[in-house]
């Protein structure tokens, strides 16, 4: 009776395969465009390909996996062009908004920004990309929300909203970028605190945004190269 209850409570092979693949998509081991070889995954889990196929169909329904003729199943590609355009635009307008906000930021603003950044640092060892992204947005909002130009501020908000639609968290694909990001945050706060030239603040904020885009592109290139080397 107890054995039957334990068996009933155990996850199915399809669920195990789903969780296995999903975890690797979330933590960036399976990057956008990574080909999912059913037999290989089945071998790693010591199960047949049938539950793996079921798991991939479920992931396909969730939009995380695509299936193409003559290619097979692969991790869904980011809307790469749209994502790139959005990040490039956001780098410009957020940089400008941060620079315009800088003279209006008080010691309390900067302490709030640092407190959020400390929380981001605390997340690094037990990394949860979605939570890190939430904190990242809160950090930047402290620095740009005082922007006196409502048109620029509206463009910043539109950019962040667009990013959410395109990808919940880029940091799931480039987790190593997170550690660099928090160091850059402190540098931006230091520039504002020291009364640095507006252009220096704007360029620091802009480079910070573009560095994340560059990191994602490098990771995708590495993933593509690795995939080509597979037998």
């Amino acid at each position: 009776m107890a054995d039957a209850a334990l068996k009933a409570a155990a996850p199915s092979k399809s669920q195990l395969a789903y969780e296995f693949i999903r975890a690797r998509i979330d933590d960036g081991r399976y990057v956008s465009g990574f080909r999912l070889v059913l037999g290989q995954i089945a071998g790693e889990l010591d199960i047949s390909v049938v539950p793996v196929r079921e798991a991939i169909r479920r992931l396909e329904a969730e939009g995380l996996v695509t299936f193409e003729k003559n290619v097979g199943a692969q991790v869904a590609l980011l809307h790469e062009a749209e994502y790139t355009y959005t990040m490039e635009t956001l780098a410009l307008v957020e940089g400008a908004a941060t620079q315009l906000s800088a003279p209006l930021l008080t010691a309390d603003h900067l302490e709030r920004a640092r407190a959020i950044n400390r929380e981001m640092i605390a997340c690094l060892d037990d990394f949860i990309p979605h939570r890190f992204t939430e904190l990242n947005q809160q950090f930047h909002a402290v620095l740009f929300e005082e922007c006196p130009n409502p048109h620029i501020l509206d463009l910043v908000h539109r950019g962040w909203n667009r990013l959410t639609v395109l990808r919940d968290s880029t940091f799931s694909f480039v987790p190593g970028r997170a550690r660099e990001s928090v160091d850059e945050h402190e540098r931006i706060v230091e520039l504002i605190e020291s009364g640095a030239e507006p252009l220096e603040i704007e360029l620091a904020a802009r480079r910070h945004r573009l560095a994340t885009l560059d990191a994602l592109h490098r990771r995708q290139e590495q993933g593509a190269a690795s995939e080509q080397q597979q037998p």
Side-chain angles (χ1 to χ4, degrees):
M1 188 95 173
D3 289 343
L6 286 171
K7 187 174 181 180
S12 67
K13 291 179 180 179
S14 175
Q15 179 66 22
L16 286 173
Y18 170 85
E19 292 174 356
F20 178 86
I21 299 168
R22 178 62 189 265
R24 281 153 181 75
I25 293 174
D26 287 344
D27 68 19
R29 279 177 283 179
Y30 291 174
V31 299
S32 295
F34 183 87
R35 188 161 59 91
L36 299 168
V37 182
L38 276 65
Q40 181 178 328
I41 295 170
E44 290 185 63
L45 294 173
D46 195 25
I47 59 177
S48 73
V49 297
V50 174
V52 177
R53 186 177 292 113
E54 292 172 353
I56 285 177
R57 285 174 181 162
R58 180 176 167 188
L59 290 161
E60 185 179 10
E62 294 175 356
L64 294 173
V65 167
T66 59
F67 191 91
E68 295 183 22
K69 187 177 181 180
N70 301 324
V71 175
Q74 61 181 10
V75 178
L77 293 168
L78 291 169
H79 298 286
E80 189 170 348
E82 285 297 316
Y83 179 82
T84 297
Y85 298 151
T86 300
M87 286 288 278
E88 289 174 344
T89 302
L90 187 56
L92 293 170
V93 295
E94 188 178 75
T98 302
Q99 175 256 114
L100 290 169
S101 289
L104 304 174
L105 297 178
T106 65
D108 181 62
H109 284 101
L110 300 184
E111 177 50 37
R112 275 194 285 139
R114 282 196 166 107
I116 295 168
N117 204 41
R118 286 194 294 271
E119 191 172 350
M120 294 175 75
I121 292 169
C123 287
L124 291 175
D125 290 333
D126 186 18
F127 191 60
I128 303 174
H130 178 73
R131 177 57 179 159
F132 191 88
T133 297
E134 286 182 335
L135 292 169
N136 186 52
Q137 184 168 2
Q138 291 173 25
F139 171 86
H140 286 288
V142 172
L143 301 187
F144 67 62
E145 283 293 354
E146 298 302 322
C147 175
N149 186 319
H151 293 267
I152 292 177
L153 193 56
D154 179 61
L155 290 172
V156 175
H157 291 158
R158 287 171 182 263
W160 274 100
N161 290 338
R162 182 62 179 151
L163 284 182
T164 302
V165 171
L166 291 169
R167 176 58 58 188
D168 176 61
S169 175
T170 308
F171 293 106
S172 64
F173 289 89
V174 282
R177 169 65 190 145
R179 292 188 181 274
E180 299 171 353
S181 184
V182 293
D183 291 339
E184 291 165 12
H185 284 176
E186 178 57 29
R187 174 60 178 158
I188 295 169
V189 173
E190 287 175 353
L191 287 173
I192 294 171
E193 191 173 48
S194 67
E197 289 294 321
L199 182 59
E200 187 177 4
I201 295 170
E202 180 173 349
L203 290 178
R206 186 187 304 177
R207 285 192 296 266
H208 170 68
R209 176 68 49 211
L210 292 176
T212 299
L213 177 61
D214 291 342
L216 180 61
H217 285 167
R218 287 195 301 272
R219 181 62 183 266
Q220 288 177 321
E221 290 169 1
Q222 291 167 0
S226 175
E227 175 65 16
Q228 289 175 357
Q229 292 172 5
Q230 288 186 11

